[in-house]
Amino acid sequence: MSTYVYGITARSHTAVPEGTTGVGEPPEPIRILTEGDLAAIVSDSPEGLRPKRRDLLAHQNVLAQAEASGCVLPMRFGSVAPDDASVTGVLAERAEHYLERLRALDGKVEYNIKATHVEEAVLHHVMATNAEVRSLAEANRKAGGGSYEQKLQLGEMVASAVKAQEAEDAVAVQQALEPVAAAVATGPESTGWLANVSFLVARDSAQEFLAAVEALRSSHPHLEVRANGPLPPYSFVEPGPAEPAEQAGQPEAAAQE
């Protein structure tokens, strides 16, 4: 039977209340594996696990129960090891790393920020801030719309200016929020987003961070900025003792539905 890993914590941490269950149908009982100063929160891994809402929420619930009494290094949904011995072996091998991460992440949460352009607003912004684009658009207007070649030139110039604005705004998002975060992790590029960045934030500074997000929205009205959190600090834990299954999603997906 494979071992499903929810998170890693200190051995001294009372990890989860007795009777807590996790993923699977019926839900698998939670077990604690210990090695040195560390403990892993695990269960048996059900066959054919998929990122269904029930299991995504079960994964989150186990972490929430465990975090109520101390810091936990969360694993992403679908993290499965071959067996218990594989998990404890990795705990021993990476003990220094995990203990450092427990110290660094204590009292902190993750906020994931995604940003994209509001199409009409960014066109207005480009027109207002780019003199060359504005000049060509005005020339075409005076010429009754301009020739096909002039319209094509304007379209290409606008597309190039918007692309450059994407790069500029991606930097602006990170620069605006980085001062109120303890650490930053850039997420994978995804279609439709010009920025996908996770910020590690102290729980008692969460309101300050969210105020900075609102200030970013106000100062950049051509941006749509989405904030997802507070989340367990998934982006600041790796490497974990088990690899997420290839088809599995991430537990924060459930929080966005």
Side-chain angles (χ1 to χ4, degrees):
M1 176 67 71
S2 299
T3 302
Y4 186 101
V5 185
Y6 299 84
I8 298 169
T9 187
R11 185 171 186 153
S12 58
H13 174 195
T14 305
V16 291
E18 187 175 353
T20 300
T21 56
V23 298
E25 187 58 49
E28 297 285 352
I30 295 301
R31 300 183 282 110
I32 305 299
L33 304 178
T34 59
E35 176 64 39
D37 293 330
L38 295 169
I41 305 164
V42 307
S43 70
D44 290 345
S45 180
E47 294 184 5
L49 181 66
R50 295 292 186 275
K52 296 179 180 178
R53 184 172 178 82
R54 197 214 74 84
D55 286 324
L56 290 166
L57 292 175
H59 181 104
Q60 286 183 304
N61 180 62
V62 171
L63 289 174
Q65 295 273 13
E67 288 169 347
S69 56
C71 183
V72 178
L73 305 182
M75 297 297 110
R76 295 186 184 275
F77 177 85
S79 294
V80 178
D83 50 37
D84 287 2
S86 299
V87 177
T88 55
V90 174
L91 292 185
E93 178 184 345
R94 301 176 182 167
E96 186 176 347
H97 167 75
Y98 292 137
L99 290 169
E100 182 279 328
R101 288 288 82 197
L102 283 167
R103 290 190 294 269
L105 300 182
D106 191 21
K108 298 180 178 67
V109 293
E110 177 175 333
Y111 282 88
N112 176 254
I113 301 296
K114 290 184 172 69
T116 189
H117 278 152
V118 179
E119 185 174 357
E120 186 174 347
V122 76
L123 291 176
H124 283 298
H125 179 78
V126 165
M127 196 67 69
T129 58
N130 190 309
E132 190 177 2
V133 170
R134 190 167 61 251
S135 177
L136 182 57
E138 180 62 17
N140 283 5
R141 186 188 67 79
K142 289 180 177 178
S147 65
Y148 172 79
E149 289 76 13
Q150 289 170 321
K151 291 177 181 177
L152 183 61
Q153 181 186 5
L154 178 61
E156 292 174 345
M157 190 178 293
V158 169
S160 178
V162 169
K163 189 70 175 177
Q165 189 66 46
E166 285 183 357
E168 181 180 325
D169 287 332
V171 173
V173 168
Q174 185 162 330
Q175 288 182 339
L177 302 178
E178 195 168 15
V180 288
V184 180
T186 303
E189 293 185 5
S190 56
T191 303
W193 302 106
L194 60 87
N196 176 18
V197 189
S198 289
F199 296 87
L200 185 66
V201 179
R203 287 184 186 274
D204 57 9
S205 299
Q207 290 306 312
E208 182 183 357
F209 179 82
L210 293 175
V213 173
E214 286 303 318
L216 174 65
R217 290 183 177 125
S218 297
S219 62
H220 292 71
H222 60 284
L223 286 181
E224 178 187 346
V225 181
R226 296 187 184 181
N228 185 27
L231 301 167
Y234 297 104
S235 301
F236 303 91
V237 175
E238 300 300 341
E243 292 299 322
E246 183 177 349
Q247 77 279 5
Q250 297 177 8
E252 54 263 43
Q256 294 174 336
E257 293 182 9

